[in-house]
Amino acid sequence: MPSTSAPTAAARPGADERLARLLAAPGRRDRLTHVERVAARPGVVDAWPSWAHDELVDALAGSGVTAPWSHQVQAAELAWAGRSTVVATGTASGKSLCYLLPAVTAALEGDGTTLYLSPTKALAADQLRAVSELRLPGLRAAA
């Protein structure tokens, strides 16, 4: 299951100092119009979508992902329905699962091919490794 702990203000020492440094450059302070601190809140897990391929769900559970976050299910449902979808969350928050659920399910059902374009070689290599480690029969990932 995904970790339910979220960073707290205490876990981010120096947030005020980092903001002050960013604003120290000439002209930046005048452009800042609002600062808001949002308190951490616990993550919410959801059930796997009914259309998610059983072998994929089993492989994900075997890799430690026993339940998806609600934002992953929402994004995956939109993508599965053919809707353009943007997910903007922090690093290591599970954005990849948002596209992997529909993309891998379609591939396993023989209904699709996914072209994944990555902004960096490191991210592409990480995604290739993650898909390859699922070891799903009939799923071929290449770079």
Side-chain angles (χ1 to χ4, degrees):
M1 177 169 3
S3 169
T4 58
S5 63
T8 64
R12 291 180 279 117
D16 289 331
E17 293 83 15
R18 287 193 305 270
L19 179 60
R21 260 184 290 153
L22 285 170
L23 296 176
R28 281 201 176 161
R29 187 166 295 280
D30 297 336
R31 294 186 298 194
L32 181 67
T33 60
H34 179 76
V35 174
E36 183 173 347
R37 290 184 181 9
V38 179
R41 57 186 188 264
V44 177
V45 295
D46 206 343
W48 293 104
S50 61
W51 48 260
H53 199 282
D54 290 337
E55 288 182 70
L56 172 58
V57 171
D58 291 345
L60 290 167
S63 71
V65 182
T66 56
W69 295 113
S70 60
H71 75 275
Q72 293 170 316
V73 173
Q74 183 180 12
E77 291 280 7
L78 290 168
W80 185 251
R83 303 279 311 272
S84 295
T85 307
V86 175
V87 179
T89 61
T91 301
S93 63
K95 290 181 289 293
S96 298
L97 193 62
C98 298
Y99 83 85
L100 280 176
L101 273 174
V104 173
T105 293
L108 291 173
E109 293 178 357
D111 293 337
T113 298
T114 299
L115 173 63
Y116 173 77
L117 302 174
S118 172
T120 66
K121 288 182 182 181
L123 181 57
D126 185 59
Q127 296 295 306
L128 177 61
R129 178 199 48 76
V131 171
S132 298
E133 286 178 356
L134 292 173
R135 291 181 173 77
L136 291 167
L139 182 65
R140 189 184 77 202

